[in-house]
Amino acid sequence: MLEQTKNKYNLDILMNVLDKKGYKIFTQKYIPNIIGVRDIQNIDCFDDVLILFYFDENSQPSYQEYSITTLPGMYYLKNPPNTEGTAVLKEGQYLDLYRLGIHKQAISKRINKIFYKYLLSIFLKPFERKIYLSNSFMANKLEETINNLNSSHKALIQNIDEIPVYRENNRSGELKFEKNGFGTEINIHRASYLGKAIKVGNYSAGCQVFASRLEFDDFLEKIEKCTKKAGLVSIPYTLINKKDL
């Protein structure tokens, strides 16, 4: 269960800001409004806020805030993974940006296959392997454990080909917001599987990243509930600046 903390922002004020910017506010039942609030004062910290709100079957709002980063970590600012520079998502509203999927899916498939065979070879004798794998429950539990141990996991993944970003290529760790470009794989995912991360570090190369696994799990559970009830495939995302509020 999430720890109850005081909200930083007010829903009425937030909706007023979104309305003034001409952004869509989804009031239909169970359509999620996901709002990132960016604070650029501190780099490499989870100082940003992700707000999730939607309206339930009684048209009552459900509102939750989470600690995230909307900026890349210091590691990738100093070591850009792209020759054009590290991606920083531009503020704006993106109506079909996300869908449910697997963050780092290609890596997941490769690592899981190798690690799966490795575990079986170490912990199980040949005749035990056959018995173990014939038990579908045990086999599924082993695969679930492997999924949890590596960095790939269920998340919100980019649903459109490219989105506008800034490219930071000065390798100084400073944000300039000067060079324009386009980005792919700008996902919403968690940092560490183990507890709560303090520094962003190499957890984000441009993604929107949760500090806490517990908070991310809560967020994802709510998103899965909303998409099922509302029959959604694509999920909107809006990124604004703390100064707007």
Side-chain angles (χ1 to χ4, degrees):
M1 182 177 291
L2 289 182
E3 179 183 351
Q4 295 299 316
T5 57
K6 185 177 180 181
N7 291 329
K8 290 185 177 181
Y9 303 108
N10 176 276
L11 178 57
D12 290 335
I13 294 175
L14 174 64
M15 291 178 68
N16 186 49
V17 168
L18 297 175
D19 183 60
K20 285 184 177 180
K21 285 181 171 289
Y23 293 161
K24 286 190 175 182
I25 301 171
F26 299 95
T27 57
Q28 302 97 315
K29 295 174 183 178
Y30 289 105
I31 296 185
N33 294 270
I34 307 174
I35 317 296
V37 182
R38 172 175 284 165
D39 183 351
I40 63 172
Q41 287 187 328
N42 299 307
I43 299 174
D44 214 36
C45 297
F46 292 94
D47 285 350
D48 301 333
V49 175
L50 186 140
I51 298 168
L52 169 64
F53 73 91
Y54 59 88
F55 295 87
D56 64 17
E57 62 271 8
N58 299 313
S59 299
Q60 294 301 307
S62 173
Y63 179 96
Q64 184 68 50
E65 294 183 1
Y66 306 96
S67 297
I68 70 162
T69 182
T70 65
L71 300 169
M74 187 62 71
Y75 176 83
Y76 286 114
L77 287 174
K78 292 185 175 182
N79 303 277
N82 186 298
T83 55
E84 295 183 358
T86 301
V88 180
L89 180 62
K90 289 189 175 184
E91 294 165 16
Q93 185 170 64
Y94 305 94
L95 296 181
D96 299 305
L97 181 53
Y98 290 121
R99 62 181 172 85
L100 287 164
I102 303 295
H103 176 62
K104 294 187 177 180
Q105 185 172 30
I107 295 175
S108 171
K109 290 179 179 178
R110 177 169 55 83
I111 292 178
N112 286 350
K113 185 176 181 180
I114 294 171
F115 195 25
Y116 185 73
K117 290 181 178 179
Y118 175 71
L119 283 180
L120 290 178
S121 66
I122 289 180
F123 295 109
L124 300 172
K125 295 178 182 179
F127 73 94
E128 292 174 329
R129 284 202 294 267
K130 186 175 181 180
I131 296 173
Y132 196 95
L133 290 174
S134 67
N135 185 320
S136 60
F137 174 78
M138 295 301 292
N140 288 338
K141 291 303 291 183
L142 179 56
E143 288 193 82
E144 181 182 341
T145 300
I146 294 169
N147 280 330
N148 288 336
L149 285 172
N150 65 56
S151 62
S152 65
H153 56 274
K154 188 179 290 186
L156 293 189
I157 63 174
Q158 192 169 321
N159 188 47
I160 56 181
D161 291 337
E162 294 181 324
I163 50 175
V165 298
Y166 295 106
R167 288 288 178 183
E168 302 291 346
N169 209 19
N170 57 61
R171 298 176 185 266
S172 67
E174 297 180 14
L175 293 168
K176 300 293 186 181
F177 301 108
E178 293 175 347
K179 184 180 179 181
N180 297 316
F182 292 93
T184 59
E185 298 184 38
I186 307 296
N187 301 335
I188 298 181
H189 64 88
R190 59 164 167 77
S192 174
Y193 172 72
L194 302 173
K196 186 175 183 179
I198 305 301
K199 293 292 184 180
V200 179
N202 64 354
Y203 286 121
S204 174
C207 291
Q208 319 292 280
V209 181
F210 277 66
S212 164
R213 177 197 162 196
L214 188 64
E215 289 192 2
F216 179 75
D217 288 348
D218 180 83
F219 166 76
L220 202 61
E221 182 181 344
K222 288 181 169 68
I223 291 297
E224 289 177 327
K225 175 183 176 180
C226 285
T227 54
K228 183 177 180 179
K229 285 185 174 291
L232 293 178
V233 175
S234 60
I235 301 167
Y237 179 62
T238 304
L239 179 59
I240 62 175
N241 198 286
K242 180 181 178 181
K243 294 179 181 179
D244 296 328
L245 296 168

